[in-house]
Amino acid sequence: MLDRRHFMLGTTAVLGTAAAPKFLRAQSEPIRIGLITTLSGPGQIYGQYIQDGCELAVDLINARGGVNGQPIELIVRDDRNSPDGALVAFRELAGDGVKLFAQGTFTANVLATLPLLEQNDVTMMVVGTSSLAITHQNYTRNMFRLGYSSPMCFGGYGHLMAERFPEISNWAMVRSDVQSLKDITDAFEAGMRAKAAADGREVNMQEPILVPYNGADFRNQISQVTNSGAEGLFNCLQGADAITYYKQARSFQMDKQFKLMCDSANELTVAKALGNKMLDSLWSWTGWYPQAAENNPTSDALLAAYIEKRDDPYPNWFVGVAHDCIATLAEAIGSTGSTAAADLIPAIEAQSFQGATGTVAFRTEDHSFAGDLTYIRFGKSESSETGWEVFESVQMAGVDFLEPATPGRELQ
Amino acid sequence: MLFTFINSLTLGMAVFLVAAGLTLIFGIMRILNFAHGAFFMLGAYLTSTLIGDMPGSIWVLIGASMLSGLVVGVLGLVVQHFVLSKLEDVDEHFMLIATYAVMLLCVGAIKMTWGLEFHSVDPPPGLDLGVVIFGTFVPSFSLFIIGAGVAVFLVLDHVIHCSWSGKLAVAIARDGWMSNLMGVNGPLGVRMVVGASFALAGLAGGLLLPNQTLSPALGDTFLLMAFITIVIGGLGNIRGAFIAAIILAVIDGLNILFLPGFPGVLIYVGMVTCLLLWPNGILGESRL
Amino acid sequence: MSSSLAERDSRRKPALTRPGINNTLIALATLTLLAMPFLTNSGLLYLVGTTLVLGVYSVGWNLLFSWAGLASFGSGGLFAIGAYVSAAAIRAGYDQFFLLIVLAGAGAGALVAMLVGLVALRRTTGIFFAILTLSLSELLRHTLMHTRSLGSEDGLSNITRPVLSLGVVEIDLTSGPTYYWFICVSAAVILGLCWWLTHGPFGRRLLAVRHDIERAGFIGIDVHRSRLAALVISGAVAGCAGAIYAPWAQIVTPELSGMVRSTQPILFTLLGGLQSFWGPMIGAFVFMVIEYATRTLVGIQEIITGAILLAVILAFRAGIAGSWNALIDRLTERRADK
């Protein structure tokens, strides 16, 4: 059966003109890594950051002579932001013999491919997704998630704010009407409450105010927030929604009404879009802020390469995380000399190295990323050419906030 | 309360600005134009290129929007000439797919020209803060949008129902064959209305630019709501669309007051109810 | 390849008629589909299987559109209902009754379609019916996205492929090829039923209603009931296709009820050919080939898909099936003239 199938495969490969070069290429040198991400539709911007990060990583590694003398080849596929698209891309590349994958942005598309990893003997790096399902109920050994779980990065966020600003005891929250963002506000609230309780304080966390996803007008919700009487505000909106929201909030002078404003994860995207109309001061979590990374040549090299490619000194955090995904695979292949999952999985579990985002290491039990957390505060600046600047950044160890490992089971 | 409804009315008028062109092209050609949202977005991008990060004054904004509307209108004529007019004698649903394809092309072209990054353009000075009316704080730009919506409606209504060219367009829409016999240049009339419809999309894009964030998903934000508006109002009926936009605003206001946990859901419920009560739209389907 | 083959055939045997040529082509296509697991890798096999399911789903939609003259923009909602029924039942451990689950999916689709039809059909037609169904499926998508027990926007994942138990025999559908063949068999059964319905008295009744609703009423056809029946059947096909799709993809998400899935049958039908039974299937496969052939050109997908779509629509204004039939007719006529 197997023989006949191989024979048929070979025959079609020779007959089919399109398949022929690929068939031949399978025998040549480079280490092939498949990248599946969203490269069309509304999510394309994040997919492009991931593609940039991975391509720059490959370029940097190949410029150093590759891994054990072998160059890396990146094969990019668009998941069309659908589980179907991700499955087609994964099965195509896996059927073609690709054993190493990076996949990112939207959780549902990642969840679609996870059940296929083991039977295809694939090692996959999941880029950036914060969903708990990936390392809990949908856990599989062949996957490493280089991304920040909500309890870790937003629980840590709540903790940091409670620690730095103990005087603010009344918080309002705003989020888009999407369940995955509920995990984020829940984690922020839990982290804040835990730290306040440890310090013997009470905090009042108001119910999150919901806004429509991809909405056109947020003024009603903005006025609700400004009338809430809260002193601190946590905004959990994404991308264009977040920018529209801050922009429409300006006529309400929202930033004057709150002593402290926190954005979830839009980091400098907000400042870059708003320019000199940026709010006075805003906190945000970020996965990679190269200007704060001291003594990190990997980060510096990536930043330089990114500036050369896109002429933008403030890359999105996805670029750094995507780079580190490729770097993780390269590191493990370098130390084992193998691309088989059986060799790579223990190697990645054991290894720890300096990537662009800081120390890259995974928890053995559920392959969660336990890297550094970075929070930045930025805002309007008269002196800066861009109209805004970053005032400070804080780094914390993520491992302190990582949720308990329950691979294969839902976190209770 | 008043404040909620003023904000919702802002949303309603913003949607009306987009829906006006949509209902116009339906009136003359009987097609739901899927590409309308994309050309709306194109108008916004063009305006942002014209005025940079901040328009110098409200007149700069309006002038730049009109210019973008003109450019988008000309593009609409190109689409009409090369695509829509070729599909006049086949099943009307082919036009639907054709406009879908044009939408993909337009979105793709926008992504290639302006990239994927988010951009923001500010309201002109004087419109970036708020005023107090009857003890209620109202953002000035909301008033600008409401004013623009009403103005566009009044102009369109006057042109369609009172002017010579509007009456000709109505005649062509109601019976193209007969008006041809009467010596009216039918194809020219259709071209003019299609051009006006696209131009309205571009104009709306420019006027709403300081209110939204520029991203290649901007068109999707408004398209579905604009569809719902013209359906509730009666397809092809500009007065119906205006009334429907106000109804939409009221529904949205009620949603925020009484169902804050489910933002944006009542609009669908309201639309289903409206359709069951008035199966052809509130003012009935109209050929302009 | 297939066209040149057919042309050669027709040249050799002048007596060959259009139905003859088309039947040969359908037989060839069926054989190719059945042999697919031996011809391709699992990526392409998955794509072909998905396209087959979507093709069946689109044929069901076209039954409503080309025969009853009703354009629904909300069929994705019915597809999603079938898919969620199937996914939930399999995850609850009822996978040995998979055939019953598929029937339940079809039943759920039919039931919801009937409820919608009872309320909507008497009151709305045309574009209004289209937008009404679109809103209902959007409402369903919102509901699914907010239902934690159905996985919110991440949907239900890790759906295992079932082992069928038919009393004495057990059929293992867990591997890719066997489930693929199961799809082929189900598709054949559903398409057979649809063919029988559309080419019998029922189909003619529907056509009469579509052509002239008043005259159809005069000659004693219950217009409302015929349309309702068409809506229910098309709902059953959508639900059934959804139920078969769930274990194939092994994940279902609320996006199944979104506008993309709902507009797919429209796209496939118009591309493949209006008023043609096989049109949606042809459209589905043509679209699949376009997408697969351009998969390496990432980042400019919109432009490519848009341009090809526009070119196809403008080149084949009667859809591919219509243009193909016209071509064959012209060729055979020319030969007859000689």
Side-chain angles (χ1 to χ4, degrees), chain B:
Chain B
M1 187 70 182
L2 175 68
F3 176 80
T4 305
F5 282 105
I6 287 178
N7 284 331
S8 296
L9 193 62
T10 313
L11 176 66
M13 285 302 113
V15 172
F16 172 75
L17 282 173
V18 184
L22 203 57
T23 204
L24 209 58
I25 198 169
F26 188 92
I28 196 97
M29 293 193 85
R30 329 300 301 163
I31 54 165
L32 275 181
N33 183 7
F34 271 104
H36 198 77
F39 282 94
F40 158 76
M41 187 157 77
L42 183 62
Y45 271 98
L46 282 174
T47 310
S48 86
T49 304
L50 284 173
I51 60 181
D53 284 350
M54 196 175 114
S57 76
I58 179 169
W59 303 111
V60 172
L61 176 66
I62 293 176
S65 304
M66 286 183 159
L67 200 57
S68 320
L70 206 65
V71 175
V72 175
V74 171
L75 279 176
L77 289 180
V78 172
V79 171
Q80 151 74 12
H81 183 77
F82 288 102
V83 182
L84 300 183
S85 68
K86 307 269 191 255
L87 295 171
E88 266 164 359
D89 50 343
V90 293
D91 188 281
E92 60 184 21
H93 292 89
F94 278 101
M95 288 239 205
L96 206 70
I97 297 296
T99 60
Y100 177 74
V102 170
M103 174 195 81
L104 288 179
L105 279 175
C106 184
V107 171
I110 287 174
K111 283 182 176 175
M112 284 180 81
T113 316
W114 282 280
L116 303 168
E117 297 275 349
F118 304 109
H119 290 287
S120 161
V121 172
D122 294 301
L127 287 181
D128 52 349
L129 293 173
V131 288
V132 175
I133 302 172
F134 301 124
T136 309
F137 173 84
V138 181
S140 332
F141 203 77
S142 299
L143 293 179
F144 173 75
I145 292 174
I146 295 173
V150 173
V152 165
F153 168 67
L154 290 178
V155 169
L156 272 182
D157 195 59
H158 182 80
V159 167
I160 290 172
H161 294 111
C162 302
S163 79
W164 183 241
S165 49
K167 284 179 177 168
L168 277 186
V170 172
I172 295 166
R174 299 242 162 112
D175 195 332
W177 182 75
M178 195 63 197
S179 45
N180 261 339
L181 287 189
M182 307 291 282
V184 177
N185 188 343
L188 180 70
V190 171
R191 273 204 291 280
M192 279 174 60
V193 178
V194 171
S197 159
F198 278 83
L200 275 171
L203 176 72
L207 292 178
L208 292 179
L209 172 64
N211 199 46
Q212 316 298 144
T213 301
L214 269 179
S215 83
L218 180 58
D220 305 346
T221 313
F222 282 97
L223 188 63
L224 194 58
M225 277 202 285
F227 273 155
I228 291 176
T229 309
I230 69 170
V231 166
I232 292 181
L235 287 161
N237 193 322
I238 197 89
R239 287 180 186 167
F242 188 71
I243 295 174
I246 294 172
I247 292 181
L248 212 67
V250 173
I251 294 177
D252 184 63
L254 293 176
N255 195 341
I256 284 161
L257 289 176
F258 299 110
L259 261 181
F262 299 93
V265 169
L266 264 197
I267 285 182
Y268 295 110
V269 179
M271 154 169 174
V272 172
T273 319
C274 277
L275 271 192
L276 293 177
L277 289 175
W278 298 286
N280 288 317
I282 291 169
L283 291 190
E285 191 172 341
S286 151
R287 304 204 158 214
L288 277 179

Side-chain angles (χ1 to χ4, degrees), chain A residues 44 48 219 223 244 247-248, chain B residues 3 111 116 210-213:
Chain A
Q44 189 180 344
Q48 184 183 293
R219 289 193 178 79
S223 88
T244 306
K247 195 167 154 176
Q248 295 181 347
Chain B
F3 176 80
K111 283 182 176 175
L116 303 168
N211 199 46
Q212 316 298 144
T213 301

